[in-house]
Amino acid sequence: MADSSFDIVSKVERQEVDNALNQAAKEISQRYDFKGVGASISWSGDKILMEANSEDRVNAVLDVFQSKLIKRGISLKALDAGEPQLSGKEYKIFASIEEGISQDNAKKVAKIIRDEGPKGVKAQVQGDELRVSSKSRDDLQAVIALLKGKDFDFAIQFVNYR
């Protein structure tokens, strides 16, 4: 019998991020505490730009966006938001959505699987994802449970389980 396997990836559905951004923009345009403060959120190329006339307001815009991401099932670990910067009379925050598992992070995950996982489970780095394979599906389930219990500083999903 062939080995069973699954992939560990870090992907974000771009459409869901877009929906969360649109919902946040709508809430910001309608909320009373954002009236007249120049608060906005929009795409700026690949990054997300949040603007307001005070540091507190721009942080509130970020908070609204984060709550919309959570409601849409997107991990906040995928959101890389910078610090508020003063630009003219406005404060701005640039945020980006991180995708893919870096080589260093993939090696950390592979080491955890080797050290703490069941014997006979192999993990190999393939580009920006990690393939985990074993003869036993039960061992793969144990690896998934092990990794879900760990707290990584990046979002992970399990795909292509076969």
Side-chain angles (χ1 to χ4, degrees), residues 12-82:
V12 175
E13 190 71 40
R14 173 79 178 203
Q15 185 62 49
E16 290 296 328
V17 175
D18 208 28
N19 291 343
L21 185 119
N22 291 336
Q23 287 178 340
K26 185 174 182 180
E27 182 173 322
I28 289 164
S29 71
Q30 293 175 344
R31 263 183 39 184
Y32 176 76
D33 57 334
F34 286 122
K35 293 281 187 229
V37 296
S40 68
I41 182 169
S42 61
W43 285 106
S44 174
D46 287 352
K47 295 194 178 294
I48 297 162
L49 171 64
M50 292 161 261
E51 298 177 295
N53 65 1
S54 73
E55 191 171 348
D56 292 340
R57 288 285 175 241
V58 79
N59 282 326
V61 171
L62 176 62
D63 191 46
V64 168
F65 182 54
Q66 287 175 335
S67 70
K68 299 301 179 190
L69 287 174
I70 291 170
K71 284 184 181 173
R72 292 223 153 258
I74 297 171
S75 172
L76 291 183
K77 292 177 182 177
L79 180 70
D80 182 24

Side-chain angles (χ1 to χ4, degrees), residues 5 9 23 49 63 78 99 102 105 116 125-127 132 138 146:
S5 68
V9 297
Q23 287 178 340
L49 171 64
D63 191 46
E99 287 194 302
S102 70
N105 288 336
E116 301 176 31
V125 179
Q126 294 181 330
V132 180
D138 291 342
L146 169 74

Side-chain angles (χ1 to χ4, degrees), residues 7-13 75 77-79 97-102 105-106 109 128-130 152-159:
D7 295 332
I8 301 172
V9 297
S10 181
K11 288 196 165 73
V12 175
E13 190 71 40
S75 172
K77 292 177 182 177
L79 180 70
I97 302 296
E98 300 290 322
E99 287 194 302
I101 301 175
S102 70
N105 288 336
V109 173
D128 61 352
E129 55 187 45
L130 192 68
F152 297 108
D153 57 349
F154 54 95
I156 60 172
Q157 294 88 28
F158 306 101
V159 297

